[in-house]
Amino acid sequence: MALIQGNERATLAQAALYFADEKTEAAGAFNLAVRVEVRGRIAAADLAAACRRLVAATPALQVRMGIDTWTGEIVYGFSDEEPEIEILAEPVDEAEAFIAARTMRPFEVDGGPLVRFLVLPVAPAHTVVILIVHHLIYDWISHRLLAERLSGSIAGAAAAPDSPDTPDEYVRLVRRVRAAEESALTEDRDYWYDRIPPSAMVVPFPREGASDTVMRRIITADPTAAAGIGACAGSAGVSVFKLVSAAVHHALPVPDSGVTVLGGAASQRLGAESAIVGCFINEVPLSASRKAGETVVDLVRREHPGWSADLRRRHYSFAELAAHVRRGGGAVEALNQVMISYRRQQQSVEHAGAGVTCTAELDVPNFAAKTPLSVRFFEDGARLGCEVQWSGHLSARSGEQYTDRLAESLTQCAGTAVRIEESS
């Protein structure tokens, strides 16, 4: 490994992910993938060269992480080693299962590379190129950026002038986020300790009958239902994100007067930093007190001022707050059991050139749930999609019943039924 001279401190959120990977039982649970369909004849050597160009132009993909032996902190540096590129000469049987298995092969986060590529022919003049990245160096804002850059590199397209990152830009952003996190540890500690009292934690799901299989179901609000959800949010004076967060709370199986907590995925970037690839997110606890017989709108109207204040304090270490809950005797799973995210972005990117067309679909399922229950909302044209995914910590029945309840809560907001796809 060839690191640049000196090591930089990682963000506190990255440090939490580092230790989460070390402790997780599911291999590859924090692996993410960018998939590009390449149609047209192109040599494997040219595809490999495009992959190497992408890494060379993207500092985050050169990052190696480890523990500083003097301070015990998680630090990082940049490696100039070439990435691993696995190139298959022939198509394989059960290609999707093969891709999933390769994607979930774990990374060695302690000093090892955090990126690799798979090049797989699937038909004549049709090849799939998959960039597999550890979550430590990649968040969902970066997904579109990497899909654009990989597709453009394969097709020979020039990157947009503001696309390439520099190591200095990456380091400055890490330093800014780390400074904001450290300030929050003192400035916002009392706020969060009051906001999330350990005695109020409620674990919403039984664990009986759990299996090793990761399950998922998709809820789809068609254009009419999506418009209804938007209108409902507008009449309540809240964003669609807050309304669907209230629906996620509303569907959780807790007794009256209980408290539920979601881990809301929130970016720590400033707007001007959105073109830098990296992992700059934190989970923000969004709690809700539960009242008998209330509607989703009742819940969101009561809770949204508090959620606004919570989101303004998005730099506070989620891991530290979870540890505080544990020290106070609370059920820490309740703080880190249900995660929610909401994304607005284009659905695909495409580049053509050098005799090929490269297409990357951006809304793809994850291969593993990062938390026992993960609820991911995404805009799909005029529709609103919702992926409910649960890990082996929960039984198949628990996840299916929760999806049914969430669909009912969303229907309540939409004023018309939403559709549930079968489990997979």
Side-chain angles (χ1 to χ4, degrees), residues 170-327:
Y170 181 87
V171 170
R172 281 197 298 269
L173 178 51
V174 174
R175 288 176 177 175
R176 185 194 67 74
V177 171
R178 173 70 186 238
E181 291 173 326
E182 290 178 340
S183 295
L185 281 177
T186 55
E187 295 172 4
D188 295 334
R189 177 177 283 122
D190 290 345
Y191 172 87
W192 281 113
Y193 281 13
D194 289 341
R195 183 75 168 137
I196 311 291
S199 61
M201 295 296 97
V202 174
V203 179
F205 289 106
R207 302 274 179 108
E208 308 86 53
S211 70
D212 293 332
T213 304
V214 174
M215 303 291 289
R216 64 187 290 266
R217 298 177 85 187
I218 298 291
I219 301 173
T220 301
D222 65 18
T224 300
I229 290 171
C232 183
S235 66
V238 301
S239 65
V240 172
F241 168 71
K242 286 183 179 176
L243 183 66
V244 298
S245 296
V248 172
H249 275 290
H250 189 262
L252 289 171
V254 298
D256 295 339
S257 75
V259 172
T260 48
V261 181
L262 309 180
S267 176
Q268 299 189 83
R269 304 165 186 251
L270 301 175
E273 299 161 339
S274 61
I276 298 176
V277 171
C279 182
F280 302 102
I281 59 168
N282 193 22
E283 284 187 69
V284 179
L286 302 175
S287 63
S289 300
R290 306 299 300 279
K291 310 295 181 184
E294 69 181 350
T295 66
V296 176
V297 171
D298 293 335
L299 190 157
V300 76
R301 281 179 171 156
R302 182 182 66 251
E303 299 292 351
H304 89 87
W307 293 349
S308 295
D310 295 340
L311 291 166
R312 286 194 293 270
R313 292 169 171 82
R314 66 184 61 200
H315 290 295
Y316 194 84
S317 170
F318 189 89
E320 197 284 331
L321 189 57
H324 166 67
V325 170
R326 187 185 300 112
R327 289 191 298 268

Side-chain angles (χ1 to χ4, degrees), residues 216 218 363-368 376 387 389:
R216 64 187 290 266
I218 298 291
D363 274 318
V364 295
N366 295 325
F367 288 105
R376 180 175 68 99
E387 178 191 55
Q389 188 178 46

Side-chain angles (χ1 to χ4, degrees), residues 49-265:
C51 296
R52 288 192 290 269
R53 284 197 300 271
L54 175 70
V55 172
T58 310
L61 301 185
Q62 304 163 27
V63 162
R64 304 285 180 90
M65 307 189 83
I67 300 176
D68 187 285
T69 56
W70 181 256
T71 66
E73 290 191 291
I74 303 303
V75 294
Y76 73 94
F78 300 104
S79 170
D80 59 8
E81 290 187 10
E82 290 196 353
E84 175 190 335
I85 305 173
E86 181 181 7
I87 301 176
L88 275 71
E90 300 291 339
V92 298
D93 295 332
E94 304 294 336
E96 294 306 317
F98 179 87
I99 289 170
R102 284 295 197 269
T103 299
M104 298 308 293
R105 179 162 62 88
F107 288 100
E108 176 49 70
V109 299
D110 188 13
L114 300 173
V115 56
R116 60 177 178 264
F117 294 86
L118 172 64
V119 178
L120 175 66
V122 294
H126 180 190
T127 304
V128 175
V129 179
I130 299 173
L131 165 60
I132 304 163
V133 188
H134 194 283
H135 196 13
L136 274 166
I137 57 171
Y138 162 93
D139 61 27
W140 206 255
I141 290 176
S142 301
H143 187 81
R144 180 189 59 80
L145 296 173
L146 287 174
E148 288 273 10
R149 295 181 193 182
L150 180 56
S151 298
S153 183
I154 294 170
D162 61 347
S163 291
D165 311 338
T166 68
D168 286 347
E169 287 176 324
Y170 181 87
V171 170
R172 281 197 298 269
L173 178 51
V174 174
R175 288 176 177 175
R176 185 194 67 74
V177 171
R178 173 70 186 238
E181 291 173 326
E182 290 178 340
S183 295
L185 281 177
T186 55
E187 295 172 4
D188 295 334
R189 177 177 283 122
D190 290 345
Y191 172 87
W192 281 113
Y193 281 13
D194 289 341
R195 183 75 168 137
I196 311 291
S199 61
M201 295 296 97
V202 174
V203 179
F205 289 106
R207 302 274 179 108
E208 308 86 53
S211 70
D212 293 332
T213 304
V214 174
M215 303 291 289
R216 64 187 290 266
R217 298 177 85 187
I218 298 291
I219 301 173
T220 301
D222 65 18
T224 300
I229 290 171
C232 183
S235 66
V238 301
S239 65
V240 172
F241 168 71
K242 286 183 179 176
L243 183 66
V244 298
S245 296
V248 172
H249 275 290
H250 189 262
L252 289 171
V254 298
D256 295 339
S257 75
V259 172
T260 48
V261 181
L262 309 180

